[in-house]
Amino acid sequence: MNLKVCSAQSFELEIKEIAADKSISHRCAIFSLLSDKPSCIRNYLKGEDTLDTLRIAKKLGLEVQEERGEMILIPPPSIQEPSSILECGNAGTAIRLYLGLLSAQKGLFVLSGDCYLNKRPMKRVVSPLRDIGASILGRQEGNLAPLVVVGKGDLQAFDYTSPIPSAQVKSALILSGLFANGNCVYREPELSRDHTERMLKGMGAEIESKASKQGGVEIFLSPLKGKLKPLVMEIPADPSSAFFFALAAAILPRSHLVLKNILLNKTRIEAFRILEKMGVRISYKETSSIYESIGDIEIVSPQSLRSVEVSEKIAWLIDEIPALAIAMACAKGVSWVRNAKELRVKETDRIKAVVENLKLCGIKARELDDGFEIEGGEIKSAEVSSYGDHRIAMSFAIAGLKAGMKILEAEYINISFPNFLEILSRITQVEKCECK
């Protein structure tokens, strides 16, 4: 599917229909396998990635019922050995978290994905798991999927220091540590998304996190003594998805936007803080704080955007950097992003994808090894590629509000934000057309 987005003027909106949080949805499906009672989840994200995660959980024995708007997740007595390949689609979170969990179970498990996921590096998870006794086979010595886990259920305790802040690596190791033969310690140089720690602790796991003397984070966890308590939660709206419309308000002068029921976890709203540095007026109103801080975000566009330099807390805004690049392209002056080499190994090489697409739009942009440099200017109408990446597709759909845009392979939007185009059509005209 190709997508044509028309240019737009200022807008005023209140949006209540932002897609549910992707990270939390993944974890609800996986963590529900660790309880002996049904979990009750409202507002589970029905995106392609999270549905793949749920389908895998079902192959492992989870029973799923839907009643009166709730999803009831009924766990098996123990994780079952599947009779077929566990297809992860495009979901990096699914394959990496399941690697951690399944390495600690008894059985044979084969994990694979689509053509994009099977190019993404897995050794960052595979290597530390192998070091504690996991048996994992795969292409390029276990760096690429398909991956085969030969679970023996006898993992060793660990004291592991991650070279990078990564919620996926951290979550995989924590899940394996819950079944290890002793207490475990996980260290990362900077706090990454902490949904795993928060949710598992809420379910009764013995897990504690504290700041280290070196400025990073130390997580201490003990192996499970029994089954965890079930999850009972309503998943809030995803701030990474909401950010695309915050971007729309930022680049269209005289716009006013209210985003409702958004996850306000500090590790998830850093991109909004960057927009504030660029001159956008943003306010936050907390409405709930049970598992996580949840509330409303109000955005008022500035007369013009200021350039910005981004090099810190990259782990907190890695998913939003492609969208931030659009704001930088509309700002006065030169902006840059550094220390973000992780962008090269996401769904696509996002540094290359952003720079190449911006050049097509008439914007001066330059690749750096660990980021990019963008000189603000006037975005022109162009035909750009999604590169098979949902966030690239949505970022340039929002860029289309300035001058019109055609995005090739825009169907990848459904991976994380199935109703994105429906909401976007409240701002401008959006047309789907078949691929060439």
Side-chain angles (χ1 to χ4, degrees):
M1 177 190 79
N2 293 342
L3 182 68
K4 182 180 178 182
V5 178
C6 297
S7 61
Q9 304 299 317
S10 61
F11 67 92
E12 184 164 350
L13 276 181
E14 178 178 282
I15 304 177
K16 302 176 182 178
E17 307 86 4
I18 295 293
D21 190 78
K22 185 166 172 270
S23 297
I24 293 178
S25 293
H26 278 301
R27 286 161 175 76
C28 283
I30 297 170
F31 297 174
S32 65
L33 290 163
L34 304 177
S35 177
D36 58 356
K37 295 181 176 62
S39 291
C40 300
I41 309 298
R42 295 184 66 88
N43 199 34
Y44 186 89
L45 175 63
K46 299 291 183 71
E48 290 179 8
D49 271 11
T50 48
L51 288 175
D52 282 330
T53 299
L54 189 62
R55 280 189 282 266
I56 291 173
K58 290 168 72 173
K59 285 187 176 184
L60 298 173
L62 187 72
E63 182 183 343
V64 179
Q65 299 176 357
E66 297 204 40
E67 301 175 1
R68 299 184 297 276
E70 277 189 338
M71 186 177 283
I72 311 300
L73 307 179
I74 304 169
S78 61
I79 290 175
Q80 299 172 7
E81 185 179 55
S83 59
S84 59
I85 293 174
L86 304 176
E87 296 287 356
C88 301
N90 194 254
T93 298
I95 195 168
R96 289 180 175 133
L97 268 62
Y98 275 124
L99 279 172
L101 176 62
L102 298 177
S103 291
Q105 313 305 313
K106 291 184 178 180
L108 180 75
F109 310 91
V110 182
L111 294 150
S112 189
D114 66 11
C115 62
Y116 294 100
L117 183 62
N118 285 1
K119 294 178 182 177
R120 295 178 66 181
M122 296 296 151
K123 244 184 181 174
R124 59 182 58 188
V125 172
V126 170
S127 291
L129 288 173
R130 283 175 171 171
D131 288 344
I132 60 173
S135 178
I136 303 173
L137 307 173
R139 295 185 301 130
Q140 288 188 10
E141 300 181 345
N143 188 45
L144 299 179
L147 295 164
V148 180
V149 179
V150 184
K152 300 173 184 176
D154 57 353
L155 296 184
Q156 304 157 17
F158 61 81
D159 186 329
Y160 179 70
T161 299
S162 176
I164 58 171
S166 167
Q168 292 179 355
V169 176
K170 174 173 63 177
S171 298
L173 268 291
I174 287 174
L175 286 169
S176 67
L178 293 177
F179 298 91
N181 61 9
N183 294 336
C184 301
V185 183
Y186 182 90
R187 298 180 174 88
E188 58 182 352
E190 177 183 299
L191 177 64
S192 60
R193 293 182 182 183
D194 58 356
H195 305 307
T196 292
E197 304 96 292
R198 289 172 177 265
M199 292 173 69
L200 288 175
K201 185 172 183 178
M203 296 175 75
E206 294 182 34
I207 181 168
E208 297 293 339
S209 178
K210 69 175 186 178
S212 67
K213 293 179 181 178
Q214 294 74 29
V217 176
E218 296 177 321
I219 298 168
F220 303 88
L221 65 147
S222 300
L224 295 179
K225 297 181 174 66
K227 295 287 186 178
L228 294 177
K229 294 182 290 187
L231 286 161
V232 180
M233 70 182 304
E234 179 169 356
I235 300 173
D238 192 315
S240 299
S241 295
F243 187 73
F244 291 108
F245 292 99
L247 169 66
I251 66 174
L252 292 179
R254 300 179 302 281
S255 293
H256 178 219
L257 174 67
V258 177
L259 299 162
K260 305 289 287 186
N261 195 43
I262 308 296
L263 176 66
L264 298 180
N265 181 306
K266 70 177 183 179
T267 68
R268 299 294 305 282
I269 59 169
E270 184 65 17
F272 290 87
R273 303 296 190 190
I274 301 299
L275 280 188
E276 289 182 74
K277 291 180 180 179
M278 299 180 78
V280 182
R281 199 169 80 219
I282 302 179
S283 59
Y284 310 84
K285 179 183 178 183
E286 186 178 77
T287 57
S288 175
S289 58
I290 301 173
Y291 283 100
E292 296 270 10
S293 175
I294 299 166
D296 303 337
I297 303 177
E298 183 177 14
I299 300 103
V300 179
S301 63
Q303 289 299 313
S304 62
L305 289 167
R306 298 190 292 267
S307 61
V308 69
E309 299 173 353
V310 179
S311 61
E312 298 179 345
K313 297 181 179 176
I314 296 297
W316 291 12
L317 48 77
I318 196 74
D319 283 340
E320 294 84 5
I321 288 177
L324 276 171
I326 305 304
M328 293 173 177
C330 297
K332 292 182 177 179
V334 176
S335 299
W336 50 255
V337 173
R338 299 183 192 273
N339 298 327
K341 199 167 185 177
E342 182 72 7
L343 287 168
R344 297 230 183 244
V345 293
K346 300 297 282 184
E347 282 82 339
T348 189
D349 180 341
R350 287 179 174 167
I351 293 174
K352 180 179 178 64
V354 163
V355 169
E356 291 303 313
N357 279 348
L358 284 178
K359 287 179 179 178
L360 292 173
C361 297
I363 297 296
K364 292 181 181 178
R366 181 169 66 93
E367 282 190 48
L368 307 174
D369 181 56
D370 60 350
F372 46 70
E373 184 179 273
I374 297 170
E375 182 177 339
E378 182 181 346
I379 290 179
K380 294 180 171 59
S381 180
E383 180 177 283
V384 301
S385 172
S386 74
Y387 290 85
D389 188 316
H390 54 129
R391 299 198 191 279
I392 296 295
M394 288 185 281
S395 296
F396 281 88
I398 298 299
L401 297 175
K402 295 295 286 184
M405 197 73 62
K406 187 174 184 181
I407 301 101
L408 307 181
E409 291 188 300
E411 66 270 17
Y412 287 93
I413 288 169
N414 291 325
I415 283 172
S416 63
F417 202 162
N419 63 328
F420 172 80
L421 298 182
E422 178 185 335
I423 298 175
L424 184 59
S425 66
R426 294 164 61 184
I427 300 174
T428 191
Q429 184 177 347
V430 179
E431 299 175 2
K432 297 180 185 179
C433 51
E434 294 301 317
C435 291
K436 293 179 180 176

